[in-house]
Amino acid sequence: MNVILIGYRGSGKTTIGKKLANQLWKDFVDVDHEICKRFDNSSIADIWQTHGEPRYREVEVEVTRELIHRTNQVIALGGGTLMQPGAREAVEQAADAKRIYLYADPTVLHRRIEADAQTAATRPALTAQGGGLDEVKAVLNDRDPVYRAVADVVFNVTDITPDEAVRLLVTKHL
Ligand SMILES: Nc1ncnc2c1ncn2[C@@H]1O[C@H](COP(=O)(O)OP(=O)(O)OP(=O)(O)O)[C@@H](O)[C@H]1O
Ligand SMILES: O=C(O)C1=C[C@@H](O)[C@@H](O)[C@H](O)C1
Ligand SMILES: [Mg+2]
């Protein structure tokens, strides 16, 4: 079975996904990381700068389709993966998969994004707002219904640590 983690930037898909995979004896794969590998391990910011976000999104769909067809993995999607129709279809149609939406309050997401040293390289602005709390609120508002529509489980990570999230996911949802 694949466990597929859905959620906004900073929701902990990568952090929780690695720990969860370890606990469940599954392989951990991260859509963002797999995309970067296809651009000589460039950062997301560099890929968007050089090739443009649309090219990144095309590769995101290809990578998602490929990963979904393997098994026994914890898959961390990118925050925007489900907004690409081809990737969304692949995730919706995935056989033998548990799709988990890691929900967090936008204020907390923004705080975690701001505090993360990886942000400059991995989280270029998504709108003309140029990042910031208003962007998180606006983009999450658009995406939240899509994340919920695809998810089998909505799991709130606003007030818990990654370790606690893993413990609860394993005992209650997997
Ligand atoms: N539950 C949590 N409590 C506190 N900090 C957290 C929690 N989850 C993640 N973090 C921190 O938030 C930052 C972002 O986490 P992470 O990179 O796992 O998010 P992500 O969902 O993979 O984001 P992206 O979509 O941009 O890849 C990291 O610094 C991580 O340590
Ligand atoms: O929310 C988004 O659109 C993104 C989230 C990250 O996981 C990366 O996929 C990239 O920074 C885009
Ligand atoms: Mg990540």
Side-chain angles (χ1 to χ4, degrees):
M1 184 189 71
N2 285 329
V3 177
I4 304 176
L5 300 180
I6 297 165
Y8 198 79
R9 289 171 160 179
S11 58
K13 301 180 297 296
T14 300
T15 308
I16 292 170
K18 283 181 182 167
K19 289 172 181 280
L20 196 57
N22 204 32
Q23 188 102 155
L24 297 173
W25 293 84
K26 291 181 184 287
D27 296 326
F28 175 71
V29 285
D30 195 311
V31 166
D32 289 339
H33 183 64
E34 295 302 315
I35 299 167
C36 292
K37 277 168 45 183
R38 296 191 183 194
F39 290 93
D40 294 328
N41 289 313
S42 301
S43 69
I44 297 173
D46 283 346
I47 296 167
W48 287 24
Q49 180 97 44
T50 307
H51 303 276
E53 183 187 342
R55 180 66 195 135
Y56 181 92
R57 299 300 183 185
E58 284 174 8
V59 178
E60 185 167 34
V61 175
E62 287 168 22
V63 163
T64 304
R65 285 187 174 135
E66 287 183 24
L67 293 179
I68 292 291
H69 286 104
R70 300 183 205 149
T71 189
N72 201 34
Q73 312 162 104
V74 174
I75 305 174
L77 300 181
T81 305
L82 292 184
M83 307 314 286
Q84 312 311 311
R88 176 177 171 169
E89 274 166 32
V91 174
E92 282 173 337
Q93 290 165 11
D96 196 21
K98 191 91 165 195
R99 289 154 279 249
I100 298 172
Y101 172 21
L102 302 178
Y103 169 82
D105 180 275
T107 313
V108 168
L109 291 171
H110 178 248
R111 197 185 309 140
R112 290 179 187 163
I113 292 168
E114 288 287 299
D116 186 356
Q118 299 299 313
T119 289
T122 63
R123 303 184 180 101
L126 294 170
T127 67
Q129 286 163 300
L133 180 57
D134 286 346
E135 179 180 282
V136 176
K137 285 182 175 166
V139 179
L140 181 61
N141 198 48
D142 285 346
R143 291 179 178 179
D144 182 83
V146 176
Y147 293 161
R148 285 177 192 272
V150 175
D152 301 303
V153 174
V154 178
F155 183 77
N156 194 330
V157 291
T158 305
D159 296 314
I160 57 173
T161 64
D163 284 337
E164 184 68 353
V166 170
R167 194 184 68 75
L168 290 170
L169 285 169
V170 170
T171 53
K172 296 195 179 214
H173 298 291
L174 291 166

